[in-house]
Amino acid sequence: MATFQDSSESLRDALMRTISQIRGEHVTLRELVRLIGEQGLLLLCALLTIPFLLPVSIPGVSTVFGAAIILISVGIITNRAPWLPERLMDRPLDADKLNGILKRGADMVAKIERVIRPRVRTLTDGAFINRLNGFGIMAGGILLIFPLGLIPFSNTLPAFAILFLCLGVSQRDGVFVILGYLTLVATVIYFAALAYAAFAAGQGLASFFGG
């Protein structure tokens, strides 16, 4: 596993390079990690968010990629290679579907990367702030694996939060780090609203049948 470090390669270039090297009918997380190579944990985390940013799905991706993001964030926090369980690393995913998603994601990421540049570096420099941003990525990963996949934006919002944080830290762009945290807050508010709506609906049904 690569260690936490900046990357001079853009995420779009990394995506296209990864796509060109995927072989066979299935691909595993272990193979994706090998293809990313020395580009670092932030780039890998950003790559794992791509399937959640598009209105498509691959069976098993939410659990595998979401759990991987959480474990990788531990590596970012501790600045060392994280442990990833064999079962997670070797679970097969449909290579054709994943390639299609990564290609579409590369176009989306290219538009985002046009506006990234080093700024507000107090939010990206230093060991303490890196650990804090690692916790932000971990929070996004936890929100990502909530069992709400059929509800609109329940995966998209935390995925964007993780993507913004990873790109912001790797490219030293504090504005994107702020966007990442704002998206995390929006996700928490959205989930809280869903929980309240479900509770209110349950209370209404209970009153209806009870009355």
Side-chain angles (χ1 to χ4, degrees), residues 53 112 136 139-140 143-144 153-165 175-191:
L53 305 179
I112 295 174
L143 293 170
L144 190 64
F153 308 115
S154 61
N155 284 337
T156 306
L157 283 173
F160 267 116
I162 297 166
L163 179 64
F164 290 152
L165 284 168
V175 171
F176 267 76
V177 172
I178 293 172
L179 283 175
Y181 284 116
L182 289 176
T183 311
L184 272 182
V185 172
T187 304
V188 172
I189 293 173
Y190 181 55
F191 282 15

Side-chain angles (χ1 to χ4, degrees), residues 90-108:
D90 294 324
R91 183 169 178 173
L93 301 168
D94 189 298
D96 285 340
K97 288 184 178 179
L98 184 60
N99 265 337
I101 290 174
L102 293 181
K103 286 177 182 177
R104 292 169 63 186
D107 295 333
M108 177 188 298

Side-chain angles (χ1 to χ4, degrees), residues 44-93:
L44 179 57
C45 261
L47 183 149
L48 296 179
T49 67
I50 299 301
F52 305 104
L53 305 179
L54 302 167
V56 293
S57 64
I58 303 176
V61 162
S62 179
T63 301
V64 174
F65 284 11
I69 287 171
I70 294 172
L71 292 173
I72 292 169
S73 69
V74 174
I76 294 172
I77 294 167
T78 59
N79 198 29
R80 64 182 62 183
W83 172 79
L84 295 173
E86 298 291 323
R87 185 175 180 180
L88 188 70
M89 294 288 283
D90 294 324
R91 183 169 178 173
L93 301 168

Side-chain angles (χ1 to χ4, degrees):
M1 173 69 73
T3 56
F4 172 39
Q5 59 186 354
D6 293 343
S7 172
S8 58
E9 183 179 31
S10 72
L11 178 57
R12 182 187 184 281
D13 289 343
L15 285 170
M16 298 309 295
R17 176 174 56 78
T18 300
I19 291 167
S20 68
Q21 296 180 63
I22 291 178
R23 300 287 185 271
E25 296 181 358
H26 296 92
V27 63
T28 65
L29 181 58
R30 184 184 304 280
E31 291 169 323
L32 290 177
V33 170
R34 177 181 57 81
L35 293 175
I36 289 296
E38 298 180 354
Q39 296 308 314
L41 301 180
L42 288 170
L43 192 57
L44 179 57
C45 261
L47 183 149
L48 296 179
T49 67
I50 299 301
F52 305 104
L53 305 179
L54 302 167
V56 293
S57 64
I58 303 176
V61 162
S62 179
T63 301
V64 174
F65 284 11
I69 287 171
I70 294 172
L71 292 173
I72 292 169
S73 69
V74 174
I76 294 172
I77 294 167
T78 59
N79 198 29
R80 64 182 62 183
W83 172 79
L84 295 173
E86 298 291 323
R87 185 175 180 180
L88 188 70
M89 294 288 283
D90 294 324
R91 183 169 178 173
L93 301 168
D94 189 298
D96 285 340
K97 288 184 178 179
L98 184 60
N99 265 337
I101 290 174
L102 293 181
K103 286 177 182 177
R104 292 169 63 186
D107 295 333
M108 177 188 298
V109 168
K111 296 177 182 177
I112 295 174
E113 289 184 327
R114 288 174 190 161
V115 297
I116 291 180
R117 62 182 184 275
R119 51 189 167 176
V120 196
R121 296 189 59 161
T122 54
L123 297 179
T124 63
D125 292 348
F128 172 77
I129 199 67
N130 281 333
R131 289 189 177 92
L132 183 62
N133 290 332
F135 278 112
I137 294 169
M138 178 186 288
I142 293 171
L143 293 170
L144 190 64
I145 62 174
F146 268 43
L148 301 173
L150 296 179
I151 298 176
F153 308 115
S154 61
N155 284 337
T156 306
L157 283 173
F160 267 116
I162 297 166
L163 179 64
F164 290 152
L165 284 168
C166 290
L167 291 179
V169 175
S170 65
Q171 303 300 319
R172 301 304 186 200
D173 191 337
V175 171
F176 267 76
V177 172
I178 293 172
L179 283 175
Y181 284 116
L182 289 176
T183 311
L184 272 182
V185 172
T187 304
V188 172
I189 293 173
Y190 181 55
F191 282 15
L194 290 175
Y196 178 78
F199 175 77
Q203 291 289 94
L205 288 173
S207 299
F208 176 78
F209 288 110

